[in-house]
């Protein structure tokens, strides 16, 4: 019966209350929230670099000839390259979508469940936490302190908090 902080959510999978809950990630088997979201972005970026490097290696190993003998010798490399392309597209789309959400200062949970979250449903603004793209990106990537979301939410002037 503890009062839940604004933008926090109790994760049903790991049984933790997470500040600025974004999502529960099956890849890292952990919740992504305020303290580890920048590291999750680094993780996605490194995954993308590794996949692009692997795709380059796989592509450089392919030399094309139109014969069944060529296909028999290169089928593993061809399938590997196609899988790398699929995973690269998935990681790239995840990275782009998270960068968009970060630039709007919203989370995946808030974006997907806007209509169910009371502080968003009753807000006069579309996103009460949005402080502009530059400030949102700065606070996400360069700020080391935890944000008091209640101050931003209840602040009615246009001055910075």
């Amino acid at each position: 019966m503890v009062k839940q902080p604004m933008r926090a959510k109790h994760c049903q999978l790991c049984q933790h209350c997470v500040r600025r809950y974004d999502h529960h990630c099956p890849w890292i088997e952990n919740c992504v929230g305020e303290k580890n979201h920048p590291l999750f972005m680094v993780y996605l970026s490194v995954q993308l670099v590794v996949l692009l490097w692997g795709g380059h290696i796989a592509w450089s190993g392919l030399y094309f000839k139109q014969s069944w003998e060529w296909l028999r010798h290169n089928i593993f490399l061809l399938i590997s390259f196609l899988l790398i392309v699929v995973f690269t597209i998935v990681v790239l789309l995840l990275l782009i979508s998270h960068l968009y959400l970060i630039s709007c200062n919203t989370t995946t949970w808030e974006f997907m469940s806007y209509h169910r979250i009371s502080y968003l449903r009753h807000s006069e603004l579309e996103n009460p936490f949005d402080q502009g793209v530059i400030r949102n990106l700065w606070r996400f990537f360069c700020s080391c302190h935890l944000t008091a979301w209640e101050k931003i939410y209840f602040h009615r002037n246009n001055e910075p908090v």
Side-chain angles (χ1 to χ4, degrees), residues 13-82:
L13 295 171
C14 61
Q15 298 298 314
H16 289 105
C17 184
V18 182
R19 273 184 59 95
R20 197 177 170 273
Y21 177 85
D22 192 81
H23 68 284
H24 186 89
C25 180
W27 288 2
I28 61 173
E29 192 54 41
N30 199 5
C31 286
V32 176
E34 188 167 37
K35 291 184 179 180
N36 66 350
H37 200 177
L39 292 174
F40 179 72
M41 295 301 292
V42 170
Y43 171 75
L44 286 179
S45 300
V46 168
Q47 288 293 318
L48 184 62
V49 168
V50 168
L51 285 165
L52 289 172
W53 176 68
H56 173 72
I57 297 292
W59 182 260
S60 65
L62 290 173
Y63 58 94
F64 295 100
K65 290 185 180 176
Q66 292 184 353
S67 69
W68 289 108
E69 186 68 21
W70 175 87
L71 186 60
R72 190 170 60 87
H73 289 302
N74 291 297
I75 190 70
F76 178 72
L77 197 56
L78 192 58
I79 290 172
S80 298
F81 178 74
L82 293 175

Side-chain angles (χ1 to χ4, degrees), residues 46-152:
V46 168
Q47 288 293 318
L48 184 62
V49 168
V50 168
L51 285 165
L52 289 172
W53 176 68
H56 173 72
I57 297 292
W59 182 260
S60 65
L62 290 173
Y63 58 94
F64 295 100
K65 290 185 180 176
Q66 292 184 353
S67 69
W68 289 108
E69 186 68 21
W70 175 87
L71 186 60
R72 190 170 60 87
H73 289 302
N74 291 297
I75 190 70
F76 178 72
L77 197 56
L78 192 58
I79 290 172
S80 298
F81 178 74
L82 293 175
L83 281 173
I84 288 171
V85 167
V86 169
F87 286 129
T88 301
I89 291 169
V90 169
V91 171
L92 183 63
L93 290 174
L94 274 172
L95 188 61
I96 289 170
S97 67
H98 275 276
L99 285 172
Y100 169 74
L101 291 173
I102 291 165
S103 71
C104 297
N105 197 4
T106 192
T107 65
T108 305
W109 166 249
E110 291 169 345
F111 184 76
M112 300 299 287
S113 304
Y114 192 89
H115 61 284
R116 292 189 286 169
I117 302 172
S118 61
Y119 60 83
L120 293 177
R121 187 176 54 219
H122 300 303
S123 173
E124 298 169 4
L125 305 170
E126 184 176 328
N127 180 5
F129 304 109
D130 187 7
Q131 297 183 313
V133 174
I134 302 297
R135 178 171 277 163
N136 292 339
L137 292 171
W138 176 263
R139 283 200 168 185
F140 183 84
F141 289 109
C142 301
S143 181
C144 297
H145 67 280
L146 297 177
T147 305
W149 300 112
E150 293 81 4
K151 287 183 180 179
I152 295 173

